Amino acid sequence: MADQHSPANYTSADLEKAALSRFRSLISFLPKNCKLFRELWNRSTVLCLDFENCPNLLDQVMGQSFLLLLVAHYLGLADSVLFRRGKKVMGWMTMMP
C-alpha cells in the first residue's frame, strides 16, 4: 500500500493534463466539446481552444477571453490564449507584461 504522504511520481505530461483539467473545471462556461491543449509558438507556449466541434459557441466564449487568460496565467499554463476553429485562427489574446 502506498504511503499517502510520499510524493507521487508524476511526469510533466501528467502535470500538464492535471493543469488542463483544473482549467476546464474553473472555466465552467467552456463547452465540453471544445478541444483544449497547449501549443508552442516560437519560444512561447500558448493555450489553444479549438471550437471546430462547437463553432456556434466561439463568440460567446471569446467574450470572456480576459477571464480565460487570467486563469491560464494563474495555473502556469500560458500567457496567451489562441481561439481556433480547426486550423483557422479566430482570435488571440496575450497578457501584457
Side-chain angles (χ1 to χ4, degrees):
M1 183 172 191
D3 181 5
Q4 291 178 339
H5 301 290
S6 66
N9 215 3
Y10 293 111
T11 66
S12 59
D14 292 330
L15 294 173
E16 181 167 334
K17 185 177 177 181
L20 289 171
S21 177
R22 181 73 176 144
F23 178 87
R24 193 175 283 277
S25 73
L26 291 172
I27 304 296
S28 61
F29 57 85
L30 190 64
K32 290 185 185 218
N33 52 352
C34 175
K35 296 175 193 167
L36 179 63
F37 56 96
R38 293 192 327 154
E39 190 174 271
L40 287 176
W41 279 66
N42 294 326
R43 292 182 286 163
S44 298
T45 302
V46 176
L47 183 63
C48 298
L49 287 80
D50 188 346
F51 290 83
E52 185 174 33
N53 296 327
C54 51
N56 56 320
L57 299 173
L58 174 64
D59 289 337
Q60 178 183 345
V61 175
M62 279 182 73
Q64 299 292 325
S65 58
F66 185 69
L67 178 59
L68 296 168
L69 189 58
L70 284 176
V71 173
H73 177 77
Y74 171 74
L75 294 174
L77 288 168
D79 287 333
S80 296
V81 175
L82 177 69
F83 298 92
R84 296 179 156 218
R85 203 168 53 207
K87 294 185 184 236
K88 187 174 182 182
V89 174
M90 304 302 291
W92 179 290
M93 185 172 188
T94 300
M95 184 167 277
M96 300 305 274

